Amino acid sequence: MAPEPTALLVEVLVRVASITVFIALGVGLASVAVEFGAVEYVAGLARPLTEPANLPPEVGTAILATTASPTAGYGMLAEYREAGLLDDRATLVAVTMNTFFGFAQHIFTFYGPVLIPILGLKVGLMYVGARALISLAITATGVLAGALLLSERNVDTTVETDVDENAAVEADGSGGARDRRAKLRAAAESTVEKIRDIVPRLLVVYLLVATLVAYYEEIVTVLFGSPDAVGIAGAVAPITGALGLPSAAIPTIAVFAVDTTNGAIFIAPLIENGTFTARAAVATMLVGGIVSFAVSTFKRSIPFQYGIWGREFGSKVIVVNTVLKVVFIAVALVVLLAPTAI
């Protein structure tokens, strides 16, 4: 039996309010951590990776910059390549190794403070953990590729570079000599801005999904005369059958293709009502991530990579990034979609 509209609205408002509190707390703490440079400590893991990958220590510094600011990190690697410190093969290896450390920033700024509160602790940690392992696997692939494919011929340590490493990080606002009060103010402004951006979408999308879930049969009956008239399950059965996912995965993936946050908001109530198991939800979001990645490649990656590297080498970077992400997401899906897993 469908709930009363007032009860449904109250339920949605309570849910959104509780999520908003956690998002505000998480975003606030994350913003303070970023402003005071805590994220940069993650990059301490980078330096031991450069030696087995046959890369110079400067690449470890570029990875540090990537953790604080991907734009700064890529800019430093581009400078190293242009100066002759790294040839094209060594640069591709370095870019691949950057993957996990670029992801690490998003743990502090998006996945932890935003996505986990929306999805809930269990599913949120499973999804973020899966994405972290995928990124880590790509970084490990870069280290292995460096060990197997790079030698002294690919690196010229005699050249001097003009990269101001501290300035590269500070240029993107992650460092600098701002006083403590200014940093706290910047953190507060960042928190308010993110909350203003997320909460309206959270409320609208969550209310829409909750309404569709609660009144699906009534809505379809009014529009088409029968609760089975649309035949949605039959239309998507071949796709969802091949993946072993519920039919609700199709609209979820479509929303993920447009925006990750909205995709999480869309799937959250479907997890709560049992439409998705935790593993099925994570698998659906990973598939949505592939579609989203394809869309973002055209919207953001191509302009960004071409701007950093130029068309020819930028295309190589895009191809390597795309292939590795799709391959390792596919591996994760094989594990999640195993017959005994869902």
Side-chain angles (χ1 to χ4, degrees), residues 16 20 23 194-204 265:
V16 171
T20 301
I23 290 178
K194 186 160 290 188
I195 291 297
R196 285 177 177 172
D197 179 57
I198 291 174
V199 171
R201 288 186 293 158
L202 182 68
L203 179 59
V204 172
I265 295 170

Side-chain angles (χ1 to χ4, degrees), residues 83 152 283 300:
E152 294 179 354
R300 290 184 291 273

Side-chain angles (χ1 to χ4, degrees), residues 199-339:
V199 171
R201 288 186 293 158
L202 182 68
L203 179 59
V204 172
V205 177
Y206 200 95
L207 182 59
L208 176 61
V209 174
T211 302
L212 289 175
V213 170
Y215 298 103
Y216 172 77
E217 291 189 2
E218 290 85 347
I219 293 172
V220 173
T221 300
V222 169
L223 294 176
F224 302 99
S226 168
D228 300 320
V230 179
I232 295 176
V236 300
I239 301 175
T240 56
L243 294 176
L245 298 171
S247 59
I250 302 303
T252 303
I253 291 169
V255 176
F256 256 89
V258 178
D259 182 80
T260 301
T261 304
N262 284 343
I265 295 170
F266 188 93
I267 200 173
L270 302 178
I271 297 171
E272 292 181 2
N273 71 10
T275 301
F276 289 94
T277 65
R279 288 180 178 269
V282 173
T284 299
M285 289 186 285
L286 289 177
V287 175
I290 294 178
V291 179
S292 175
F293 179 68
V295 173
S296 67
T297 295
F298 289 97
K299 292 175 61 177
R300 290 184 291 273
S301 293
I302 289 178
F304 175 74
Q305 300 293 358
Y306 281 16
I308 293 286
W309 310 105
R311 182 179 60 83
E312 183 177 353
F313 190 73
S315 297
K316 294 179 182 180
V317 171
I318 290 170
V319 169
V320 170
N321 282 340
T322 301
V323 170
L324 288 174
K325 285 183 179 180
V326 170
V327 166
F328 283 106
I329 288 176
V331 171
L333 286 172
V334 168
V335 176
L336 287 165
L337 296 175

